Amino acid sequence: MDQSQLTKPSIRGFEHVARYMDHDHGVVAAKILPGEYYVTAENEMITTVLGSCISACVRDKEIGLGGMNHFMLPDTNKMKMQQGSNALIGNANRYGNFAMEHLINTILSNGGKRKNLEVKVFGGGKIIPTLSDVGERNIQFVMEYIDQEGLHLLSKDLGDIYPRKVIYFPQTGKVGMKKIQDLHHDAIAQRERQYLTNIKDLPIEGDVELF
């Protein structure tokens, strides 16, 4: 793989995502953070570390085009105080909807077909016992979303008490997943708390059309 493939993503719009050469696997890797997603048409790897968050790995199995997201529903307790209970469920779920629909729409707009999509999902761990179980709410959301949208779920690894490192190869659909027992959970929890602080103040966008 030449240097141009490392510096320029195969699909426009992902220039902000950190990419590097992964010498262990011999491919370019894209590292996504909470709130990010990445889609590729090349033989690349996508990687992230999950605590309470969820990552969905989605691809068109016929053409090997796909990507991965990393999302968490907002803190529903904070939203309840700020917006009132009537807005609670709708607004919280919309963040998850955007994460899934943006990923799927990007795949479809670059040649994928909805009938060929396959999905694998990971995360939702309760990594800090004293925290509210946002991981369980994330799991419930993503499973309901997959069911309601009629997507083909191939595999999942959700819940438990450990962070996960996930690596995904959209071209082949292979996923490597490791539960991390020797990492400081506080660092991941702090990152996710910061993400929740950021997204609770974001305006609600318009509807995303699936096609």
Side-chain angles (χ1 to χ4, degrees):
M1 181 171 291
D2 60 32
Q3 187 65 22
S4 65
Q5 286 180 283
L6 177 58
T7 57
K8 185 178 179 181
S10 63
I11 293 176
R12 293 179 61 183
F14 294 102
E15 290 77 11
H16 65 286
V17 175
R19 297 164 72 245
Y20 61 94
M21 189 67 196
D22 185 281
H23 295 287
D24 290 338
H25 297 93
V27 295
V28 169
K31 183 178 181 179
I32 60 172
L33 300 173
E36 294 184 339
Y37 75 106
Y38 186 82
V39 176
T40 180
E42 301 291 340
N43 180 27
E44 293 185 290
M45 181 180 86
I46 310 172
T47 182
T48 198
V49 175
L50 301 165
S52 303
C53 290
I54 295 285
S55 277
C57 303
V58 184
R59 76 178 192 124
D60 182 310
K61 63 183 179 181
E62 297 299 323
I63 62 175
L65 168 76
M68 179 166 72
N69 58 23
H70 181 150
F71 71 89
M72 181 190 291
L73 301 179
D75 188 320
T76 52
N77 291 328
K78 292 180 181 177
M79 292 184 67
K80 186 171 183 178
M81 289 189 292
Q82 292 182 358
Q83 301 178 347
S85 58
N86 290 338
L88 178 63
I89 296 177
N91 283 351
N93 283 347
R94 290 189 74 175
Y95 286 98
N97 286 336
F98 286 138
M100 294 301 297
E101 291 174 358
H102 286 166
L103 173 58
I104 291 171
N105 274 352
T106 302
I107 293 170
L108 299 184
S109 65
N110 283 276
K113 295 183 178 180
R114 191 174 180 83
K115 67 178 182 179
N116 295 334
L117 297 184
E118 58 183 30
V119 183
K120 299 179 180 181
V121 291
F122 305 90
K126 188 174 176 63
I127 61 172
I128 302 295
T130 57
L131 290 181
S132 61
D133 200 358
V134 65
E136 184 58 37
R137 296 198 298 272
N138 291 329
I139 292 169
Q140 181 179 356
F141 163 78
V142 77
M143 296 306 295
E144 289 179 355
Y145 181 93
I146 290 169
D147 181 62
Q148 291 169 2
E149 295 296 322
L151 298 173
H152 181 206
L153 179 64
L154 278 186
S155 62
K156 59 186 172 68
D157 193 281
L158 301 165
D160 212 330
I161 61 172
Y162 299 109
R164 293 165 168 85
K165 180 176 182 180
V166 179
I167 60 173
Y168 179 46
F169 301 87
Q171 195 168 86
T172 64
K174 291 183 178 180
V175 175
M177 194 277 300
K178 179 181 180 181
K179 292 183 180 178
I180 305 171
Q181 302 185 34
D182 57 352
L183 188 70
H184 292 296
H185 293 191
D186 287 346
I188 298 174
Q190 180 58 38
R191 184 183 68 183
E192 293 187 350
R193 287 192 193 99
Q194 183 60 51
Y195 175 47
L196 287 173
T197 299
N198 293 340
I199 64 176
K200 74 179 177 63
D201 294 324
L202 291 177
I204 299 299
E205 303 177 30
D207 291 335
V208 176
E209 181 182 359
L210 286 179
F211 56 88

